[in-house]
Amino acid sequence: MGNLKQYFFDNKSIPTKFSISYVLIGVLGIVFLDKLISEFFKYNSIMDQGPLTFGILFLLSTGIILFIMLNHMQKVIQRIDNSYRELKDKDKERLVPYEFALNNSIDAIYWFTLDGKFVYVNEAACQMVGRTKEEFLEEMHLEDMDPNFDRQTAKECMINIYNHKNWRLETTQIKKDGTIFPVEVSGHGFMHNGTEYVCAFARDMTQKQEYRTKITKMNQELQKSVEEKDILLKEIHHRVKNNMEIISSLLNMQERRTKDQEMIYILQQSRSRIHTMALVHEFLYLGENLAFINLPNYIKRLLDDIKDLYCSQNTRLEVDLKIERLIFSTNRCIQIGMILHELCVNSLKYAFKENRDNKLLLHIKTKDDLIELKLRDNGEGISSIDDLDCADSIGTQLIFSIVQDQLDGEIEFRNNDGLECNIKFPKKEEDE
């Protein structure tokens, strides 16, 4: 019976099979009807022509029509079936890259129902916890893989993921052998065929946590090393400052032993220059940054110390100080400090007088890639201003040497209601 059914409903030659069957059944029916009708219409003229012949002709004609109709229907059905198969093959071919990407993803990918039951897992998920797809899809739920959840909290988590975009969580999962390992999970909800699902992506964080631990340990060791070096550098700056103060004290002792006024002045200037350099190391020792110094604070302190050393109590001095907030290295601060020391000492010695209003202007600013320094007093100026670069004064030679040779800059002196000095040098230091 099964073979007969399969034969008749096979897609091949359906019109032929049904037409032949129709003719055979019709012939048998006509023979039966012919005998039956002959008993009642023996003397009918129509029946004399032969009802069997008439029925057979009718049956053959209708069988041909039926064959044509069924044959056309079979062709239509076959075209539809072929189109469906082609579409199905194309869909299958189109899904190949996506299936490949899912199965070869580094991350574990899970699909859950909203009650936390697994409905899909990729190969990475199976390898991550050491289970097969069949084990996942039979009866496993989220709490069977993540020990941080139970039946109720797993459902709550699914709903939370479904209702929030870019959901993330750091948690743990348990392997089939009982090993617990850290994972980072992200997920989102979606709807498929009218059913709500959650898709989650999990990544094993074991290696990342090991790296994080190593990096944290390295950072702690580096921080400890930096702190030790900071302490060492502070100690070095402190000792340099103390050594300079010892030298200054020796010069001070020598100054007290001599009565030669010129020698006293020379020793006094030497002490002041040493103090200018020692002040840099003091700022480095007391400051937070051991490589750079805040220039405005340094210059303010330097000018106060120079005034205390060279100005008498009767000397009234007004200082116009405008300095941009610049951060200089130790070497550059010493260079700027030595220049300002010589210029300020020169103004205090030759331009400023007691019982008069003395003014000192000091501006430092940046312009494009240059730093511009201007210092002006309200003294009488210098008559031989063009010959300053050839002067025998140690201070003047020191100024020109630092500006031209060390700062790679330009210097200009001019009389402008007193002596004015303009210095320009590159903002960028040579060793940067």
Side-chain angles (χ1 to χ4, degrees):
M1 184 68 180
N3 293 334
L4 183 62
K5 183 177 179 181
Q6 183 178 2
Y7 172 78
F8 274 104
F9 289 97
D10 186 17
N11 288 336
K12 297 179 180 179
S13 304
I14 290 178
T16 302
K17 295 172 185 176
F18 271 86
S19 298
I20 294 172
S21 300
Y22 172 77
V23 171
L24 291 175
I25 293 171
V27 169
L28 293 174
I30 288 171
V31 172
F32 175 75
L33 288 173
D34 180 66
K35 290 183 178 182
L36 182 64
I37 294 171
S38 296
E39 295 295 327
F40 292 97
F41 300 98
K42 290 181 179 180
Y43 303 102
N44 191 297
S45 59
I46 298 175
M47 294 296 110
D48 290 341
Q49 297 175 4
L52 181 61
T53 303
F54 176 80
I56 290 172
L57 291 174
F58 175 78
L59 184 63
L60 288 174
S61 62
T62 55
I64 292 170
I65 294 172
L66 180 63
F67 174 78
I68 294 171
M69 291 176 61
L70 289 174
N71 187 59
H72 176 71
M73 289 177 64
Q74 185 186 25
K75 290 180 179 179
V76 173
I77 292 172
Q78 192 169 5
R79 285 199 298 268
I80 294 173
D81 185 63
N82 291 337
S83 298
Y84 172 75
R85 290 178 182 276
E86 289 178 4
L87 182 61
K88 192 173 181 181
D89 291 339
K90 287 181 180 179
D91 283 343
K92 188 175 181 180
E93 185 178 350
R94 183 173 58 85
L95 291 175
V96 167
Y98 299 100
E99 292 178 357
F100 178 83
L102 288 173
N103 288 325
N104 291 276
S105 171
I106 300 175
D107 297 333
I109 302 175
Y110 315 96
W111 283 15
F112 298 93
T113 58
L114 290 191
D115 64 349
K117 186 179 184 304
F118 290 95
V119 293
Y120 169 81
V121 293
N122 67 345
E123 293 295 335
C126 297
Q127 294 175 7
M128 188 177 290
V129 297
R131 294 182 180 272
T132 63
K133 287 187 178 182
E134 289 73 19
E135 288 178 299
F136 270 108
L137 303 182
E138 282 177 0
E139 291 297 334
M140 281 188 64
H141 291 74
L142 173 62
E143 63 270 19
D144 298 321
M145 183 181 67
D146 192 329
N148 298 291
F149 292 95
D150 55 29
R151 187 84 287 272
Q152 182 61 33
T153 56
K155 292 181 180 179
E156 294 173 356
C157 179
M158 293 296 108
I159 295 173
N160 189 25
I161 298 173
Y162 190 85
N163 293 327
H164 292 84
K165 292 183 178 180
N166 301 321
W167 181 91
R168 289 184 178 277
L169 175 69
E170 287 191 7
T171 181
T172 56
Q173 290 183 359
I174 184 168
K175 295 184 180 181
K176 190 175 182 179
D177 62 6
T179 304
I180 296 176
F181 61 99
V183 292
E184 182 183 46
V185 183
S186 62
H188 61 273
F190 68 100
M191 184 172 289
H192 178 66
N193 291 335
T195 305
E196 296 173 333
Y197 295 97
V198 166
C199 179
F201 302 84
R203 176 167 293 185
D204 190 342
M205 298 288 290
T206 303
Q207 191 175 29
K208 188 174 181 180
Q209 282 198 354
E210 290 176 356
Y211 287 153
R212 188 184 298 172
T213 302
K214 288 181 180 179
I215 291 173
T216 301
K217 186 177 180 180
M218 289 174 60
N219 287 337
Q220 291 174 347
E221 292 176 352
L222 287 172
Q223 183 64 30
K224 183 179 179 181
S225 177
V226 169
E227 290 174 356
E228 291 175 351
K229 289 179 180 179
D230 285 347
I231 293 172
L232 179 60
L233 285 173
K234 282 181 176 288
E235 182 65 22
I236 290 173
H237 287 302
H238 185 57
R239 292 191 179 188
V240 170
K241 172 181 170 291
N242 288 343
N243 289 337
M244 287 185 171
E245 287 181 351
I246 292 172
I247 295 172
S248 181
S249 298
L250 292 174
L251 293 175
N252 189 36
M253 292 173 59
Q254 189 66 36
E255 178 186 336
R256 288 198 299 269
R257 290 175 176 272
T258 183
K259 296 182 179 179
D260 187 341
Q261 293 299 317
E262 184 177 357
M263 180 60 67
I264 291 174
Y265 178 73
I266 292 173
L267 293 173
Q268 191 179 47
Q269 277 194 318
S270 298
R271 285 173 48 212
S272 182
R273 288 167 182 150
I274 291 172
H275 177 73
T276 300
M277 292 184 285
L279 189 60
V280 172
H281 293 280
E282 181 179 343
F283 267 80
L284 290 171
Y285 171 69
L286 297 175
E288 296 181 356
N289 193 323
L290 293 174
F292 297 93
I293 296 176
N294 188 311
L295 185 65
N297 294 340
Y298 169 71
I299 291 178
K300 289 176 184 178
R301 172 71 182 277
L302 179 63
L303 289 178
D304 289 340
D305 291 347
I306 292 174
K307 283 193 296 182
D308 292 341
L309 185 61
Y310 288 97
C311 287
S312 66
Q313 295 181 350
N314 296 326
T315 302
R316 297 191 302 272
L317 178 60
E318 178 184 348
V319 179
D320 178 8
L321 197 63
K322 292 181 181 178
I323 304 173
E324 285 188 13
R325 185 175 178 81
L326 300 171
I327 305 296
F328 281 170
S329 66
T330 306
N331 186 47
R332 177 156 282 189
C333 266
I334 291 176
Q335 293 167 346
I336 300 299
M338 295 300 294
I339 293 172
L340 292 178
H341 173 269
E342 300 303 324
L343 292 174
C344 291
V345 168
N346 182 72
S347 296
L348 290 168
K349 182 178 179 182
Y350 297 106
F352 298 154
K353 308 293 182 181
E354 293 184 357
N355 301 319
R356 59 163 286 191
D357 293 329
N358 301 294
K359 294 181 180 179
L360 180 68
L361 178 146
L362 175 57
H363 292 177
I364 300 178
K365 64 179 182 179
T366 57
K367 185 177 181 181
D368 298 330
D369 294 331
L370 297 176
I371 294 178
E372 297 182 350
L373 183 153
K374 177 188 288 186
L375 188 141
R376 184 175 70 235
D377 58 46
N378 63 341
E380 297 178 355
I382 301 177
S383 57
S384 57
I385 196 167
D386 295 331
D387 300 327
L388 282 177
D389 57 338
C390 301
D392 294 333
S393 169
I394 294 177
T396 305
Q397 292 179 3
L398 188 60
I399 293 172
F400 277 94
S401 174
I402 293 175
V403 172
Q404 295 175 347
D405 300 334
Q406 298 182 31
L407 294 176
D408 195 22
E410 300 176 355
I411 183 170
E412 176 193 13
F413 285 95
R414 64 175 180 173
N415 291 314
N416 181 17
D417 295 329
L419 181 63
E420 179 179 308
C421 176
N422 291 287
I423 299 174
K424 296 180 181 179
F425 57 91
K427 184 178 180 181
K428 185 177 181 180
E429 298 188 40
E430 292 182 358
D431 56 349
E432 287 183 354

